[in-house]
Amino acid sequence: MTSTFHSLETAKRSLYTQTTALSTTGHNISNANTAGYSRQVVKTQATSAFEMPGLRNWTSAGQLGSGVEVTAIARVRDSYLDDQFRSENSGLGGWTVRQETLSKLEAIVNEPSETGLSTVMNNFWSAWSDFSKDPQDITNRKIIKETTLAMTDSLNQTSKQLDAMTTDITANINLKATEINSLLQTIADLNAGIKKVEDMGNNANDLSDQRDYAVDQLSKIANVSVTKLDTGYQVTLGGAAAVAGTTVTPVTEASLKAAFDGGALNKGEVYGMFVSRDDYVVDYRAQLDTLANTLANGQFEVTLPAGSVLPDGTTLNVVNADGTQTSTTFSNTAGNRTLTAPINVKVDGINGLMKIGYTIDGTTPSAGIDLFTAGSAGTGGAITAGNITLNGQIQNNPNLIASSFRVTGAGTTGESVVTGNAGLALIMADMKSMKFDFGSAASTPVTIDDYFGSITGQLGVQSKEAARQAQNATNLSDQVETLRQSVSGVSLDEEMTNLVKFQQAYNASARFMTTFDEMLDKLINGTGTVGR
């Protein structure tokens, strides 16, 4: 038969169990706003009943319940939703960074605006239009000088801002590598702590929450995958094992770059940074460099008016009626320096155009010099947006700006420039509508303005698409997080309901113990005292 004190033990077990449930509910309520926390539940089961199966049965009624016991305190977590969230979180991190970068690029390009590059280019073209009306006026020449410097300075500044952006992104990648390594070490340390607890047969709920939260943070920085092993989490980042138990393989900017180049790093903030630095910034810098170099040296077709006198020894590609080109040298020896009829020729950029005209500096005809150089000293090298500037000689002497196509006494030793002629200046005044050959950067010749418009148009489309993708990623991430919170999150309403439920169960258990205590008191102290 059962013990006299059997029901006391049953009541005690109930009190312990309800106390554990109440404490766990309080723990949930305390951490309702803790990032990464998963609500915990108490798993209970009925303890072994009397009698237990054996070779003989008791004579009394069997299978008398003996109460309740706590088998585990478990956290509520759905690993499938965790994997989904981390995947969407990685996508969100990548698109967010790309959107931010493109927004910064839009601010750098600053179009359309009254202070952007298109405005200073328009001022440059307008200055030439005014200059063509009176090329001898020193004021007009100084205006050409200043508007040209303004345009080249704008290109220089834009290039410097792109360089600064590259430096900033590289610095951020290194910072993210440090953050990644810190999170990896945290996961490894938690692996060790969790294993110690689990080896003792318990659930390391709070430590597991911290580990999962660290993985969640890591997922926004780079694409990760998690495999649970006996030694803890094995974390793969960008295709390479980064954590295995307590072993950490640190990442560097170089290792992350190798993973990006190999296609293994394809999501997350670091991925977005590499795309921003190595694709967006590099592409727009290259396009601006092409714009600057084409402006100076890009080939275009121009019609030279009849009566123009080309500098002795000038070699140009003359465009024939059938579209073919003939390389022709214009010289006194050939007697063809003075054009008897208009001809179409190919000229190598504004610099090339300047060289077939004449300056008004000095008494003898002097062929023009490059308008643009790579640096004010004109040290040579390819012209880029970062180094293009007005020729230093012209900065010091605006009379060196070529404007005339005419000389008197052509072919004789007494030649002199017709300073009032504006043949070259008129061509420059119409340069805004001239189509340049941009090589592989454009399938057909286009104007400088059209090419720059294509740059800003591309940037606008990319920025809009990045914003759309970032918003989609945000929506998907929020949706999965909402589902995850519906499973793992703490509901204060639910916890308050549990609080009342467990409290009532505790009170009932206590009342049961009190009742049985009174029964035992009657049995022990009241039995055999009749008649006293």
Side-chain angles (χ1 to χ4, degrees):
M1 59 181 295
T2 60
S3 166
T4 303
F5 300 100
H6 167 76
S7 292
L8 281 177
E9 179 64 22
T10 300
K12 184 192 75 172
R13 289 176 178 175
S14 178
L15 287 173
Y16 285 170
T17 298
Q18 304 311 321
T19 299
T20 302
L22 283 167
S23 297
T24 302
T25 301
H27 186 53
N28 287 341
I29 293 172
S30 299
N31 289 279
N33 297 314
T34 300
Y37 179 80
S38 303
R39 69 186 177 94
Q40 297 176 15
V41 295
V42 176
K43 303 290 186 180
T44 61
Q45 69 176 19
T47 51
S48 299
F50 291 103
E51 63 181 19
M52 294 292 291
L55 296 176
R56 294 167 30 179
N57 286 331
W58 292 357
T59 57
S60 59
Q63 294 299 302
L64 175 64
S66 61
V68 66
E69 65 179 353
V70 175
T71 58
I73 300 175
R75 65 186 186 132
V76 180
R77 197 87 182 190
D78 188 329
S79 59
Y80 172 72
L81 290 177
D82 284 340
D83 291 340
Q84 268 197 321
F85 173 77
R86 288 161 188 163
S87 177
E88 299 300 341
N89 202 32
S90 294
L92 174 60
W95 281 112
T96 299
V97 170
R98 292 166 72 173
Q99 180 191 13
E100 290 173 353
T101 300
L102 289 166
S103 294
K104 291 177 183 177
L105 284 171
E106 284 187 309
I108 289 173
V109 174
N110 195 23
E111 295 293 343
S113 74
E114 295 181 358
T115 58
L117 182 57
S118 61
T119 297
V120 294
M121 285 197 298
N122 284 332
N123 292 339
F124 175 73
W125 305 128
S126 297
W128 278 101
S129 179
D130 295 337
F131 176 67
S132 67
K133 298 172 185 176
D134 188 1
Q136 300 178 82
D137 186 356
I138 188 60
T139 301
N140 287 336
R141 289 180 172 272
K142 288 184 177 180
I143 291 174
I144 291 291
K145 167 189 167 182
E146 295 303 328
T147 54
T148 304
L149 283 173
M151 182 177 66
T152 57
D153 286 347
S154 181
L155 285 167
N156 296 162
Q157 179 63 20
T158 301
S159 182
K160 287 178 182 178
Q161 289 175 312
L162 292 178
D163 290 341
M165 180 176 284
T166 297
T167 302
D168 289 344
I169 294 174
T170 300
N172 284 335
I173 291 172
N174 285 310
L175 286 174
K176 286 298 178 182
T178 301
E179 185 178 350
I180 288 172
N181 290 331
S182 176
L183 289 170
L184 293 177
Q185 188 60 55
T186 297
I187 294 170
D189 293 342
L190 288 168
N191 276 343
I194 291 168
K195 189 173 189 307
K196 289 180 181 179
V197 175
E198 290 180 343
D199 285 347
M200 296 175 65
N202 297 317
N203 294 327
N205 296 320
D206 294 325
L207 293 179
S208 295
D209 282 343
Q210 293 174 31
R211 182 174 64 181
D212 281 324
Y213 184 58
V215 176
D216 288 348
Q217 291 176 291
L218 200 59
S219 70
K220 192 168 187 179
I221 303 173
N223 54 298
V224 297
S225 61
V226 176
T227 304
K228 194 169 189 315
L229 305 176
D230 292 339
T231 54
Y233 277 0
Q234 175 179 291
V235 179
T236 301
L237 185 145
V243 175
T246 58
T247 303
V248 176
T249 303
V251 301
T252 62
E253 191 271 342
S255 67
L256 291 172
K257 180 67 167 69
F260 170 76
D261 291 338
L265 179 63
N266 51 33
K267 285 183 178 181
E269 292 175 334
V270 176
Y271 168 76
M273 290 176 186
F274 279 121
V275 171
S276 297
R277 186 191 69 180
D278 299 340
D279 291 347
Y280 293 155
V281 178
V282 168
D283 179 46
Y284 285 107
R285 183 189 291 109
Q287 291 190 70
L288 286 174
D289 287 345
T290 299
L291 174 69
N293 190 56
T294 302
L295 184 66
N297 301 310
Q299 198 172 75
F300 64 91
E301 184 177 332
V302 64
T303 301
L304 300 181
S308 299
V309 182
L310 301 179
D312 189 28
T314 299
T315 299
L316 295 171
N317 285 333
V318 177
V319 180
N320 301 315
D322 59 359
T324 59
Q325 298 180 31
T326 303
S327 178
T328 306
T329 299
F330 299 87
S331 64
N332 288 326
T333 303
N336 60 352
R337 285 181 57 204
T338 301
L339 304 182
T340 57
I343 62 170
N344 292 339
V345 296
K346 291 286 188 178
V347 179
D348 294 331
I350 292 177
N351 283 349
L353 181 63
M354 290 290 129
K355 292 177 182 177
I356 61 175
Y358 300 95
T359 72
I360 65 170
D361 189 58
T363 57
T364 58
S366 177
I369 60 176
D370 289 340
L371 184 67
F372 301 107
T373 56
S376 58
T379 55
I383 289 178
T384 65
N387 64 25
I388 187 172
T389 190
L390 177 63
N391 192 321
Q393 296 180 59
I394 294 177
Q395 291 185 42
N396 295 327
N397 183 6
N399 284 330
L400 292 178
I401 298 173
S403 59
S404 176
F405 275 151
R406 298 286 185 93
V407 297
T408 59
T412 68
T413 57
E415 289 185 359
S416 61
V417 178
V418 179
T419 57
N421 178 260
L424 189 150
L426 287 169
I427 291 177
M428 281 298 302
D430 194 43
M431 192 62 67
K432 182 177 182 178
S433 60
M434 204 71 69
K435 293 185 177 182
F436 287 73
D437 184 359
F438 283 85
S440 59
S443 57
T444 58
V446 295
T447 67
I448 295 294
D449 285 359
D450 285 346
Y451 183 77
F452 182 67
S454 71
I455 296 176
T456 58
Q458 176 188 345
L459 179 56
V461 170
Q462 286 180 329
S463 182
K464 185 176 181 180
E465 174 64 12
R468 186 186 70 82
Q469 291 282 13
Q471 184 59 53
N472 286 346
T474 299
N475 294 339
L476 289 172
S477 179
D478 289 347
Q479 183 182 41
V480 177
E481 177 61 10
T482 299
L483 290 173
R484 198 164 67 149
Q485 286 300 315
S486 69
V487 174
S488 302
V490 175
S491 167
L492 291 178
D493 290 340
E494 181 181 358
E495 298 304 324
M496 291 303 295
T497 301
N498 288 338
L499 199 62
V500 173
K501 180 174 66 175
F502 297 141
Q503 181 189 17
Q504 293 300 317
Y506 184 91
N507 292 339
S509 298
R511 183 60 189 166
F512 168 60
M513 179 173 281
T514 300
T515 300
F516 201 77
D517 177 63
E518 291 174 354
M519 293 169 59
L520 289 176
D521 178 66
K522 185 64 176 178
L523 175 67
I524 296 170
N525 297 315
T527 302
T529 62
V530 177
R532 290 183 184 177

